């Protein structure tokens, strides 16, 4: 079974401070991991995926298979980063093919 | 414009009523999904479809049913609504040819059963 855990329900930082949203997963195969974001009054949308190794809006996330983690990081948080962030895992075969499993979500608040 | 539409956006209804939540997409996607999300909680997959006449139950057991008669339409039905069905329901779609399986979400339907 696949599982995603985001240990922090709420995370508050001040503008300009570094931010790290934690995500841990359990999956027996080779996972594909994503971060989705939901800004206030907007739809849930893809922020970034590990396979692209990209930086979006200053955010990066590195897949650490040894620690089974996919933490989301940004060196200098901005007020517009305030949102709900979900870590998600996609299974790579069998009955789990194509399906996403989401974590519980972390509400990030960036104070001015 | 390519988009995913969900109607109604809000629904308050009495126990025992039959309801259908509509989801349509003009993205040209084959895969569609229904998620249930309680406030501040994780999304749980309750149904998915890989194409016309294909429907599967998701990870979270649900008393709802779905149908996929047309590619762009994926309605969810509750035959007899109960207060335990109160939740937000999110519809999503993705491209079968997209190996990354990026899912695009609709605005959601917030259901309250009294």
């Amino acid at each position: 079974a696949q599982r995603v855990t985001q240990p922090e329900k709420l995370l508050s930082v001040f503008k300009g401070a570094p931010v790290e949203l934690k995500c841990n997963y359990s999956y027996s195969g080779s996972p594909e991991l994503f971060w989705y974001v939901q800004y206030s009054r907007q739809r849930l949308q893809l922020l970034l995926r590990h396979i692209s190794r990209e930086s979006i809006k200053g955010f990066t996330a590195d897949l650490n298979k040894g620690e089974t983690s996919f933490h989301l990081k940004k060196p200098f948080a901005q007020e517009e980063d305030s949102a709900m962030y979900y870590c998600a895992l996609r299974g790579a075969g069998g009955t789990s093919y194509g399906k996403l499993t989401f974590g519980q979500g972390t509400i990030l608040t960036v104070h001015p | 414009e390519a988009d995913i539409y969900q109607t109604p956006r809000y629904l308050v209804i009495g126990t025992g009523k039959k309801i259908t939540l509509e989801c349509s997409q003009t993205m040209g996607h084959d895969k569609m999904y229904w998620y249930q999300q309680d406030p501040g909680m994780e999304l749980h997959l309750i149904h998915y479809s890989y194409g016309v006449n294909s429907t599967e139950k998701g990870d979270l057991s649900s008393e709802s049913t779905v149908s996929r008669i047309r590619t762009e339409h994926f309605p969810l039905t509750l035959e007899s609504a109960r207060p335990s069905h109160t939740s937000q329901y999110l519809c999503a779609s993705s491209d079968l040819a997209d190996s990354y399986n990026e899912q695009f979400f609709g605005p959601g339907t917030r259901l309250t059963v009294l």
Side-chain angles (χ1 to χ4, degrees), chain B residues 26-40:
Chain B
T26 55
M27 312 281 284
H29 289 164
D30 294 295
K31 297 182 188 177
M32 295 189 74
Y33 314 81
W34 276 104
Y35 292 89
Q36 184 174 340
Q37 181 185 29
D38 292 327

Side-chain angles (χ1 to χ4, degrees), chain B residues 90-108:
Chain B
L90 292 175
C91 181
S93 71
S94 66
D95 188 351
L96 193 63
D98 176 13
S99 60
Y100 296 146
N101 193 52
E102 177 178 355
Q103 294 190 14
F104 294 84
F105 286 81

Side-chain angles (χ1 to χ4, degrees), chain A residues 9 36 43 86 90 97-98 103, chain B residues 3 37 40 42 50 99 101:
Chain A
K9 190 82 172 174
Y36 278 77
R43 303 183 189 188
Y86 290 95
R90 179 172 84 142
Y97 177 71
Chain B
D3 205 350
Q37 181 185 29
E42 63 212 277
Y50 286 157
S99 60
N101 193 52

Side-chain angles (χ1 to χ4, degrees), chain A residues 51-101:
Chain A
I51 202 164
S52 301
R53 303 185 68 83
E54 56 200 347
S55 172
I56 302 293
K57 298 184 178 181
F59 284 99
T60 59
D62 291 320
L63 177 60
N64 186 322
K65 291 187 178 181
E67 296 182 358
T68 59
S69 69
F70 187 57
H71 303 327
L72 183 68
K73 300 177 184 178
K74 185 169 183 176
F76 307 103
Q78 302 299 315
E79 290 178 67
E80 55 265 29
D81 296 329
S82 296
M84 173 74 110
Y85 291 81
Y86 290 95
C87 183
L89 179 151
R90 179 172 84 142
T95 57
S96 63
Y97 177 71
K99 296 191 296 179
L100 284 176
T101 298

Side-chain angles (χ1 to χ4, degrees), chain B residues 9-24:
Chain B
R9 294 291 311 279
Y10 303 91
L11 179 61
V12 180
I13 201 162
T15 297
K17 300 290 186 182
K18 178 180 178 179
I19 58 169
T20 296
L21 307 184
E22 300 288 348
C23 175
S24 294

